[in-house]
Amino acid sequence: MSDRKTEIETFLENAGWSGAEVTLLAKDASYRVYHRVLRDGARAVLMDAPPALEDVRPFLDIAGQLRRFGYSAPAILAEDVPAGLLLLEDFGDRTFTRILADPDERNWSEEALYAIAVDLLADLHERAPQIGFAAPPYDGGRLVEEADRMLRWYAPLTLGDVVSEDVAEAYRGAWRDAVPVMTHGADTLVLRDFHVDNLMILEGREGLARCGLLDFQDALSGSPAYDLVSLLQDARRDLAPGLEAAMLARYRERRKVADWDAFLRAYHALGAQRAIKILGQFGRQQGFFGRTSYMVHIPRCWAHIEADVDRAGLDGVAAWLDREMPPSVRRIPEPDRRLPSSISPEIKR
């Protein structure tokens, strides 16, 4: 028996779940692995986060803050922080993604699902500054570093080589010029992976508590536009025509944003930054690990980038892209392309 399996069995025994059935539930793009734990009709979710690679404390911290706000983050049933093990409330299987794909889910239309998510964001953004929250800053340095991931991990796969340092610095300079646009407005709690894969419908709960929240451990303090564009410009799916505009109008009605034009500019600037970061993340998955399943979403990411750069007026970014990455290289890389060993796969934290 492996040491890790023994650790998990001991953890479950100490938590009162001795002899439970443990089955793989999901892996995410990090090093975390999730298992469903079943015993005598009761169930929970085990988060296995190897402590040398992951830290469960941010999850515990943000879950506590979200629950203090009255939102449905999973309850913590047991924890062993040094071992990187958490036992969580099991929200079931009804993610927004699964509901949208299930023709039998007639009670929840696409519009209704997005509406409850938008309402939760509007509520969070309105209340967070008043109630108070704590998270590291989503500042210019981090925003530019994230945009830089496209250069590190995606561009070499389509250009055939790494870009020179002077070309890379011009790219970073264009994004630094965009920081005032991306950071406009009062900060709020930014969950960062707020999209249909990480949102759930919880029956038996009322109001915004019906919306279950997952994968929020990387939350930061930053622009309220970020999570909204994460939801409405999903890298993995297209929304029905007109739904993005309708949900933006819904958010505006609920928040009464003072300078809507500036908010929209931040929304589109962050949409471009997020999509270009995701290009890098997808490139990393293929370039180091040979995982090509993400690459089908590359055209959608580029469509978001091209539209958002224009709408946000990011002229410097647009000029760099037109010059260094014209439409001919804005494509899905060949599946056998890998990144050279001189490039690090590590993500700067």
Side-chain angles (χ1 to χ4, degrees):
M1 184 182 295
S2 71
D3 291 343
R4 191 58 171 172
K5 187 173 181 180
T6 301
E7 271 191 301
I8 289 172
E9 289 187 354
T10 301
F11 171 70
L12 291 175
E13 182 178 351
N14 292 339
W17 288 74
S18 180
E21 178 186 354
V22 181
T23 58
L24 180 65
L25 186 59
K27 296 182 179 181
D28 62 22
S30 72
Y31 298 100
R32 292 181 296 271
V33 181
Y34 297 87
H35 301 270
R36 176 159 281 149
V37 182
L38 301 171
R39 195 201 60 181
D40 300 332
R43 67 186 193 180
V45 169
L46 172 70
M47 180 197 290
D48 177 4
L53 301 169
E54 296 284 341
D55 184 355
V56 298
R57 289 173 298 180
F59 183 94
L60 294 169
D61 180 27
I62 300 301
Q65 293 188 57
L66 290 170
R67 290 174 64 80
R68 179 164 56 85
F69 274 77
Y71 306 132
S72 293
I76 312 300
L77 307 180
E79 63 184 78
D80 185 339
V81 171
L85 295 170
L86 300 179
L87 195 64
L88 310 174
E89 177 183 10
D90 189 342
F91 279 168
D93 300 307
R94 296 182 70 210
T95 64
F96 283 21
T97 299
R98 291 186 178 182
I99 292 173
L100 289 165
D102 187 347
D104 293 330
E105 288 276 9
R106 297 184 180 89
N107 293 333
W108 287 97
S109 65
E110 182 182 28
E111 182 175 3
L113 288 172
Y114 277 86
I116 192 173
V118 166
D119 289 354
L120 190 152
L121 285 181
D123 186 74
L124 173 63
H125 299 164
E126 199 68 27
R127 296 167 63 219
Q130 303 166 16
I131 296 176
F133 62 95
Y138 210 171
D139 57 17
R142 192 181 292 253
L143 289 162
V144 173
E145 185 280 320
E146 289 181 349
D148 195 54
R149 296 176 192 180
M150 187 277 287
L151 281 190
R152 295 169 59 198
W153 297 326
Y154 169 80
L157 297 177
T158 61
L159 294 175
D161 198 2
V162 297
V163 301
S164 65
E165 184 54 32
D166 59 333
V167 170
E169 186 52 36
Y171 172 83
R172 297 179 196 116
W175 280 107
R176 281 193 288 268
D177 290 343
V179 166
V181 180
M182 294 188 286
T183 55
H184 172 82
D187 286 353
T188 189
L189 188 63
V190 180
L191 304 184
R192 296 182 74 200
D193 283 312
F194 193 88
H195 52 75
V196 293
D197 289 350
N198 293 329
L199 301 173
M200 306 192 74
I201 288 297
L202 307 178
E203 297 299 339
R205 302 193 187 190
E206 299 296 326
L208 298 179
R210 292 177 298 173
C211 184
L213 302 174
L214 305 175
D215 202 12
F216 43 72
Q217 61 278 337
D218 295 324
L220 296 172
S221 173
S223 170
Y226 188 91
D227 280 343
L228 193 61
V229 78
S230 172
L231 175 72
L232 301 180
Q233 292 189 6
D234 197 320
R236 294 171 178 82
R237 72 180 305 270
D238 296 317
L239 276 64
L243 186 58
E244 180 184 8
M247 291 298 109
L248 282 169
R250 185 183 185 97
Y251 179 88
R252 183 183 186 182
E253 179 183 348
R254 277 152 180 74
R255 277 216 66 210
K256 306 292 191 252
V257 177
D259 189 342
W260 183 248
D261 288 342
F263 181 90
L264 270 187
R265 194 176 177 209
Y267 173 91
H268 290 297
L270 288 165
Q273 185 270 354
R274 186 172 187 279
I276 219 159
K277 172 182 69 174
I278 290 171
L279 287 182
Q281 305 287 56
F282 289 167
R284 178 176 179 267
Q285 292 297 319
Q286 173 173 322
F288 295 111
F289 312 115
R291 300 168 187 157
T292 59
S293 59
Y294 298 97
M295 307 312 269
V296 67
H297 306 301
I298 293 291
R300 184 180 297 107
C301 289
W302 273 117
H304 288 321
I305 292 162
E306 290 162 1
D308 283 331
V309 164
D310 179 63
R311 291 169 182 162
L314 305 185
D315 296 338
V317 175
W320 188 96
L321 291 173
D322 288 343
R323 184 174 63 252
E324 306 295 343
M325 295 199 70
S328 60
V329 297
R330 300 175 188 178
R331 56 181 171 81
I332 299 173
E334 297 298 324
D336 60 348
R337 284 284 180 89
R338 298 293 180 268
L339 291 167
S341 58
S342 59
I343 300 175
S344 171
E346 295 305 312
I347 295 175
K348 300 173 186 175
R349 299 286 184 179

